[in-house]
Amino acid sequence: MKNGERARAGHDSPADPGPAVVGREAEIAEIRSRVAADRSHSSVLVVEGDPGAGKSVLLDLAVRLTRDTGQRVLRAVGSESETPLALAGLHQLLRPVLRSLDGLPARQRSALRTALGLAEDAGDAGDAEHTDHADHADHASTPDALLVGLAVLTLLADLSEPAPLLVVVDDAQWIDRASLDVLSFLARRMAGEPVTLLMGVRAAAVLPGFDKGYERLEIGPLSGDAANRLLDEQPKRPTGRTRARILREAAGNPLALVELARAAADREPEGSGVEGPLPVTDRLEGIFARHLRHLPEATRRALLLLAAADAADAPAAARGLPEAADTVWAPAERAGLVRRDGIGVSFRHPLVRSAVYHAAPFEQRRRAHLALARQLGEEPDRRAWHLAAAAVRPDEQVSAALRETAGRARRRGGHAAAAAALERAAELSPHRADQARLLADAADAAVFTGQLGWVEHLAARVRERSDDPALTGRVALATGRLMTMGPHHTAAFGLLSRVADEAAATRSPRLLDALAAAAVVRYYSGEESQRQRIETLLADVPDSAAGGALRAWVLAVSDPAGAGASLAPALPRLIAAAKDEAGSLTALAVVAWLLDRTPLAARTFDEAFGRWQAHGPLPAGLACAAGWAYLEQGRWADARSVAAEIAEVASAAGLDHAEACARTLDATVLALLGEPAEARDSAERALALVDPLESRSVAVFARRALGLAAVAEGDYDSAYAQFRAAFTEDGDPVHYHVSPTVLAELAAAAVRRGHRETAARLLERSARHLAPGMSARLSLLVERGRALLAEPEYAERHFRAALAGEAGEQWPFERAQTRLDYGEWLRRQRRVAEARPLLTGALDTFRRLGARPWIDRAKAELRAAGIEADTAAPGALTELSPQQQQIVRLAAHGLTNREIGEKLFLSPRTVGSHLYRVFPKLGITARTQLRDLLTGALPGTGSAQWRQLTD
């Protein structure tokens, strides 16, 4: 799309966008800065505006400026007809560089070729690597989505080695979701690469993965002065009432100004025209259709075939079009409908395509689709969609072809494409029962897109076609599962409860699935009435070996205190039975964490994660349980890595509750590390994402993090207020699982701020409530709280109880806190010799973890006890980010930058950049020294610093 015909087109220069680009000086300057020839870092810019605002003009300018400096450009343009086709956009983008795939590592190459439907060519290269199992992956296997993203990241990093690379995606609102996910993955991970990504998108469109966190260049309406100047540029400048009307109806839209001016020049008397205001886009489509009537018949047929085609990346479809040099295109080019270049013919703007397509009678469109289907015999997915577009009545064969398309899309991880194909297959199925079944299949697939409205729509269509409880219950369960990840937990529980009721009445195995989802809602909300409802329904579920893990999940998630005594002994057996089932292992790891079997939980999470090939498109908030288990075990770097990963995926998917869970986890670690400002920011962001009454778990976790941040700053008034907020005015826990973990911290803050009696009453009330199934961890926390709140003559027995046995070593930070508190109490009782070992042990643990505020406090207590602790700060390793720590660990084990990048989904260049920056921090100059650092051989380092990285 250009802002008008250029009278002096031959005068355009690479540095000059031309006289027809009017009123966009600031936007042009921004584009120039993004594509500067000497750029050495990544950049992402979303160019946003209404149709016809000039997005494509600016993107064209970026392409021209880049190509004129000899740099490479990869470009894709979204198309409505391709939106259902998984990874069609990625294929279009990478088609010019597919030969470069051979330079990728074997696993990456195999995953990307499979995703692009190229796996059958894997043997062509004759490379010995192609004998590897990974390169002969079965088409039935789903390529790892993250590995596909990493492959594209590596490819772009390699392509940008000689010179900076520009990636342009126009009309991104029509790019298929799977391709958008890959682009979003790239945008988040190409830091340090000389790659610029420009995304053009309509203002009203939602662009998953790019809706927040990236700079946006908003292309608004032209000013009145600029609009007048643009009209003056036209071959026949409008005047008088015609000019006034064009200015009014175009509302500053450049394309509308140009096209309305052209239309006015074709009209008879000045000022005549259609009466009444119309939306700009409707009027533009009418103008484009009007141009069509004056074109030769052959040109109109060619335009319709081009409009119906899937795009330039389908060579088979292109064979049915006239050649670019054919005179059939000349009239369309003169009319401003298409543009021709060395690549071929394309529409000047998507509105032209829409106008051409919808202006044609259905029978003509049908013939165009049938012609394209004949050309696409070797591309079954595209062929199926063209046959579907040409269908005038139910057709079982076309429906079957779409079902096969859905299966291929699902195996590639294209859930949106699969759901769309199944929905259309249902519409073309001649049998009502098959329609309902296919729509239910579509709803199941659509769950993984995160689009609740779509799932609800599909569920409603199932109910219109069938009253079969198996189908209606299935789509209701699909809807409820997706609702659990949103903010409205009360509504989600209501729906899941109804599904469970119906399943119980029909003795359906779906009952346990519904209760498992309902238990998640119960945990999020903390609502007691939900526990009672789950307990009642669970009584109707018979015991079975197959349902053992799921039943344990329901019991532990909805009532860990009540379920602990019976479940804890059975956990190792259930985990062993789960074997290689990553989903079951993860669920049982969550159960272990809820029951405070922390080492077992962490080991099981490790086993489950080791079996995962991908993390899945919809992370549940409870996935943070892994991070909490790692935090409690002292693996703080791992906890932060989990939090970062979940927050990133959840933010891109719009899953606010999951993102909030991750941010509370990260906030807690930040507070413990002595970064209170960052901790507060993260916790407050979490609270802003949820309704505290609907998400009590997040609310209490966030309050605990805010309290720890206040403790880190020595602000015990604020700390007490935050910890106290974990309980109601009456002293009941706000959340049945999270609130009790705050009891010891509340006691410590209460003692310092004169709230001893209130805190003591609250602690004892909670202890009585927890008594029947209190875990070992909670027992130790309660004893620590009692020791802090007790009168001097009673405190010691509680301190001793809090430190009794070896069980407390499972929770090193909490054990070190108790040692510090007890050592401080002993010193104040003038029992200095007894205090010193406790204080020294606490300091050692705090140093290993990097808990700076507690290090300072322990050192102060040791000085008061007559020992001057050395001044060593937390190890340099703990100062690194979680990602940097992972990179250092892998490099120390001898992995290359490329191998590290493949494991962490980073480009080799990014890995190298991290290592370059961390070497000075670690006091080393060579990669070979990392192994010595790992084993503590270098002066001033110790293996303890690595323990949290290598455990």
Side-chain angles (χ1 to χ4, degrees), residues 611-625:
R611 287 167 174 78
W612 278 1
Q613 292 185 349
H615 293 279
L618 294 177
L622 276 177
C624 272

Side-chain angles (χ1 to χ4, degrees), residues 716-894:
Y716 290 99
D717 283 322
S718 296
Y720 178 80
Q722 296 293 351
F723 296 142
R724 181 64 180 81
F727 300 87
T728 68
E729 288 295 323
D730 295 333
D732 292 325
V734 169
H735 189 271
Y736 61 97
H737 176 250
V738 188
S739 291
T741 66
V742 182
L743 287 168
E745 300 293 353
L746 175 65
V751 168
R752 286 172 168 80
R753 305 318 303 165
H755 301 291
R756 186 187 300 266
E757 292 183 6
T758 301
R761 286 196 301 271
L762 191 150
L763 185 145
E764 294 305 328
R765 181 187 180 110
S766 295
R768 286 193 299 273
H769 178 74
L770 292 166
M774 190 185 300
S775 69
R777 178 188 174 212
L778 287 181
S779 296
L780 297 177
L781 291 176
V782 167
E783 289 297 340
R784 177 190 169 213
R786 283 171 171 161
L788 291 167
L789 295 168
E791 295 298 328
E793 60 268 30
Y794 304 113
E796 186 162 19
R797 65 186 177 97
H798 293 299
F799 275 127
R800 289 183 178 278
L803 291 171
E806 297 297 320
E809 300 299 331
Q810 301 174 68
W811 306 285
F813 180 74
E814 293 169 4
R815 173 57 61 103
Q817 283 181 299
T818 305
R819 287 192 175 112
L820 176 59
D821 290 336
Y822 188 20
E824 183 180 44
W825 184 86
L826 287 169
R827 183 188 63 77
R828 290 178 180 175
Q829 300 300 311
R830 302 184 184 282
R831 296 160 60 182
V832 175
E834 296 173 71
R836 287 170 178 167
L838 290 166
L839 296 173
T840 301
L843 178 60
D844 287 344
T845 300
F846 293 144
R847 278 180 169 162
R848 174 170 66 84
L849 296 174
R852 282 188 290 270
W854 285 265
I855 291 171
D856 293 341
R857 184 179 152 199
K859 287 165 64 176
E861 285 297 324
L862 276 169
R863 280 195 299 272
I867 296 178
E868 187 62 41
D870 64 72
T871 57
L877 296 166
T878 63
E879 302 290 337
L880 305 183
S881 71
Q883 187 177 79
Q884 289 173 332
Q885 291 180 10
Q886 289 179 302
I887 290 170
V888 167
R889 182 185 69 221
L890 294 171
H893 284 292

Side-chain angles (χ1 to χ4, degrees), residues 547-803:
L550 205 53
R551 189 183 186 92
W553 164 271
V554 174
L555 287 167
V557 174
S558 58
D559 185 19
S566 60
L567 275 179
L571 266 180
R573 173 179 54 80
L574 291 170
I575 289 170
K579 295 182 180 178
D580 292 335
E581 284 288 329
S584 296
L585 282 174
T586 303
L588 289 168
V590 173
V591 171
W593 170 68
L594 289 166
L595 301 183
D596 286 327
R597 298 288 301 275
T598 305
L600 178 62
R603 286 197 304 273
T604 309
F605 276 125
D606 289 340
E607 290 176 22
F609 293 168
R611 287 167 174 78
W612 278 1
Q613 292 185 349
H615 293 279
L618 294 177
L622 276 177
C624 272
W628 289 116
Y630 295 150
L631 182 149
E632 291 159 10
Q633 199 182 35
R635 295 165 58 180
W636 291 0
D638 289 337
R640 290 205 71 194
S641 294
V642 168
E645 198 165 316
I646 293 174
E648 181 179 24
V649 178
S651 177
L655 304 174
D656 287 351
H657 185 89
E659 182 181 354
C661 291
R663 295 203 180 281
T664 58
L665 170 60
D666 198 47
T668 304
V669 183
L670 285 167
L672 296 176
L673 290 170
E675 302 290 348
E678 292 181 34
R680 273 195 301 274
D681 179 66
S682 190
E684 287 166 359
R685 287 174 68 187
L687 288 171
L689 286 167
V690 299
D691 178 350
L693 296 179
E694 290 268 347
S695 301
R696 292 184 180 92
S697 60
V698 166
V700 178
F701 272 132
R703 295 297 176 193
R704 190 176 76 172
L706 290 169
L708 289 169
V711 169
E713 294 179 314
D715 181 1
Y716 290 99
D717 283 322
S718 296
Y720 178 80
Q722 296 293 351
F723 296 142
R724 181 64 180 81
F727 300 87
T728 68
E729 288 295 323
D730 295 333
D732 292 325
V734 169
H735 189 271
Y736 61 97
H737 176 250
V738 188
S739 291
T741 66
V742 182
L743 287 168
E745 300 293 353
L746 175 65
V751 168
R752 286 172 168 80
R753 305 318 303 165
H755 301 291
R756 186 187 300 266
E757 292 183 6
T758 301
R761 286 196 301 271
L762 191 150
L763 185 145
E764 294 305 328
R765 181 187 180 110
S766 295
R768 286 193 299 273
H769 178 74
L770 292 166
M774 190 185 300
S775 69
R777 178 188 174 212
L778 287 181
S779 296
L780 297 177
L781 291 176
V782 167
E783 289 297 340
R784 177 190 169 213
R786 283 171 171 161
L788 291 167
L789 295 168
E791 295 298 328
E793 60 268 30
Y794 304 113
E796 186 162 19
R797 65 186 177 97
H798 293 299
F799 275 127
R800 289 183 178 278
L803 291 171

Side-chain angles (χ1 to χ4, degrees), residues 22 143 186 203 321 454 509 526 595 899 911 922:
V22 175
L186 293 174
L321 298 172
W454 190 8
L595 301 183
E899 290 168 336
V911 173
L922 299 177

